[in-house]
Amino acid sequence: MAAWHCGACQRDLCELCAAKKYVGAGVLPICAACGGIAVPILVPRAQVEPFSFAAALANVGQLLPLAFAVVLAVAQQTVATWGGQGWVLGQFVVIGAFAMMLRRADQGLPLVGVPTYGDIADGWVSLFWRGLPTLGPLALGAALVSHWGQLAIPVASPVAWILVALAIWLVPPALVAAGVDGPHTMMALPWELPRLESRLGGDVGKLRVVVAAWALMQLMVAWMPGVAIDGDMRLMDHELENFGAHVVVAALLAAVASAAGMLLFTHAELLAHGDPTKFRVPLRPRAAPEGTWTPPPDPETEAERAKRLQPIDLEDPREALVAAIGRGDVATALERYRQGDIPALAIDPAQHLAVAQMFSTAGEPQIAAEVLRGIVMRTPKADVAPRALVILARLCAEKLGAPDEAMVVYRRVVEQYPDSDAARYARERLTSAAG
């Protein structure tokens, strides 16, 4: 699978054709055949990092979001003690906090942060307005059933259970639709939600789980007995007694915001959410490119960097060659190799491959090809042999003017190493040539 693109030869590079090169104290991906600088191929986030329901819940389990849930519950229940108007104001406080958390999550930010006036306005204006067609009737129905927070809802009330079922079914796709922020923003119209849900596959179902937990907890809180005053069951008189349940509701609401926001963040390109290029990520191959020269430990300490960059002064030619390869000293490595005083079998096949890549990047593809042929001849069954053959085929096709030999090498890879990544790449080249 191609994960990089070479700017010099304009080829897409898989892990077999990409290598690493030291530049000062850093490392750059390069094309193993031509030595050109390679850049990562960017793809939609969902292709590399699928939506993780566990990660969405883990975001809420951190100290700051949990503390925010407690503060939110305190604020909501404090204003609820003011009467019916206070209950309505408390719900608006909750909606505002939810909108800000969702908007932060759909940008890949932590759930809780210092809000700006823009964050507040964006949450209220965009999320509240776009979600109104679907979420508005549900919220109004809940308010009417509870007489705007004045009545405990009987457990057997069919209307309450109908509202819970509708919330579990409609809220998840409606939140996703309302949260889209870009040139193709959409209203959360009920009849359009099934089509949106089908585009997102099973991810909306995962969001529905946490919405169900939140809706059922809301209903449980509404069941809690209040104190009869003039024939009414006033929940606000028992707010302190039920405070723990309200904290759980606030935490579940944060979980809904986290899951909905991360779902948007994951499928941003599919939904045209924000700037698509901002949400693209590098395509990661199955294995990182093996270095043209072995990279240092990551992160590299100052002592390790100093050791890697110190002058090479070794009497043993093989040790000097290995040291030059290890630190990425192309000139020293090629000089030592050209001297011809190191037995070929004394050098590890991977080090031979590094030398071949050095010759290629130094503008000497003919010598590089001879080194690669020697690797395959001496170690036909080694893990490095298929990689050496693929690079040899590319050199033949792109630098040595021998496309027929390249096709022969690709067929050899397919025949001798049919289950390898190199064989998959070779088949692609053969199919492309045949077409």
Side-chain angles (χ1 to χ4, degrees):
M1 180 185 296
W4 299 271
H5 180 77
C6 176
C9 65
Q10 298 300 313
R11 295 294 184 92
D12 289 339
L13 310 175
C14 65
E15 61 268 29
L16 296 169
C17 297
K20 290 181 180 180
K21 178 180 181 180
Y22 282 122
V23 177
V27 180
L28 286 177
I30 64 170
C31 175
C34 76
I37 300 299
V39 296
I41 295 175
L42 301 181
V43 297
R45 182 177 299 276
Q47 185 174 334
V48 177
E49 301 174 6
F51 171 66
S52 172
F53 183 58
L57 296 183
N59 286 342
V60 184
Q62 300 174 10
L63 179 60
L64 199 56
L66 288 176
F68 184 70
V70 174
V71 172
L72 184 61
V74 170
Q76 179 188 9
Q77 302 316 308
T78 298
V79 297
T81 59
W82 300 347
Q85 297 81 1
W87 181 86
V88 174
L89 179 60
Q91 302 313 306
F92 275 88
V93 170
V94 170
I95 292 172
F98 172 83
M100 286 187 292
M101 286 188 290
L102 190 152
R103 188 53 87 208
R104 290 182 63 85
D106 71 28
Q107 300 296 318
L109 300 173
L111 279 181
V112 180
V114 179
T116 65
Y117 289 114
D119 294 333
I120 297 172
D122 180 57
W124 276 96
V125 173
S126 63
L127 289 172
F128 183 79
W129 177 251
R130 293 182 204 140
L132 197 59
T134 296
L135 304 181
L138 291 176
L140 181 61
L144 292 176
V145 168
S146 64
H147 285 210
W148 302 94
Q150 298 296 307
L151 295 180
I153 302 174
V155 63
S157 170
V159 177
W161 282 104
I162 290 173
L163 286 173
V164 168
L166 286 174
I168 294 172
W169 184 254
L170 293 175
V171 167
L175 288 179
V176 175
V180 173
D181 186 20
H184 303 290
T185 55
M186 59 186 81
M187 298 289 285
L189 300 174
W191 53 87
E192 293 184 354
L193 298 181
R195 182 170 58 88
L196 171 65
E197 186 169 350
S198 66
R199 295 174 65 194
L200 296 174
D203 285 346
V204 175
K206 300 173 186 176
L207 175 57
R208 190 166 278 126
V209 172
V210 70
V211 170
W214 166 76
L216 292 174
M217 191 65 195
Q218 281 279 31
L219 186 58
M220 185 180 298
V221 170
W223 292 344
M224 293 180 176
V227 178
I229 299 178
D230 297 332
D232 288 338
M233 301 293 289
R234 298 185 181 276
L235 295 178
M236 65 188 69
D237 294 327
H238 271 198
E239 296 302 341
L240 290 178
E241 180 180 333
N242 302 332
F243 178 71
H246 288 294
V247 172
V248 174
V249 170
L252 287 172
L253 191 67
V256 172
S258 176
M262 287 187 65
L263 186 59
L264 266 170
F265 183 64
T266 301
H267 296 287
E269 187 155 353
L270 173 67
L271 300 172
H273 171 60
D275 180 3
T277 59
K278 177 181 176 182
F279 294 98
R280 287 196 154 213
V281 296
L283 176 62
R284 295 183 178 90
R286 288 183 294 276
E290 297 177 8
T292 303
W293 309 286
T294 305
D298 187 20
E300 185 180 24
T301 65
E302 290 297 329
E304 290 163 344
R305 184 178 295 109
K307 181 179 179 181
R308 177 169 62 82
L309 297 178
Q310 69 184 2
I312 296 175
D313 186 16
L314 298 171
E315 294 183 0
D316 187 302
R318 178 188 173 279
E319 292 182 2
L321 174 64
V322 172
I325 293 173
R327 60 177 272 181
D329 188 339
V330 178
T332 301
L334 297 187
E335 179 186 355
R336 294 284 184 175
Y337 192 85
R338 281 193 180 99
Q339 290 176 0
D341 54 359
I342 308 173
L345 294 178
I347 307 175
D348 184 88
Q351 294 166 350
H352 257 123
L353 181 60
V355 170
Q357 293 170 333
M358 285 181 174
F359 275 116
S360 177
T361 58
E364 300 186 50
Q366 190 66 52
I367 300 178
E370 291 303 320
V371 175
L372 291 168
R373 292 186 181 100
I375 293 172
V376 178
M377 181 179 65
R378 286 187 296 272
T379 56
K381 296 182 179 180
D383 293 338
V384 75
R387 180 178 169 86
L389 284 169
V390 165
I391 298 174
L392 173 61
R394 287 199 58 197
L395 286 175
C396 291
E398 299 168 20
K399 288 194 171 185
L400 300 178
D404 293 339
E405 182 180 352
M407 294 299 104
V408 171
V409 174
Y410 281 136
R411 292 189 188 95
R412 179 177 176 183
V413 173
V414 173
E415 292 171 0
Q416 293 187 356
Y417 310 97
D419 298 326
S420 66
D421 290 339
R424 283 188 282 272
Y425 178 83
R427 290 189 190 96
E428 292 176 2
R429 296 294 92 196
L430 291 169
T431 302
S432 176

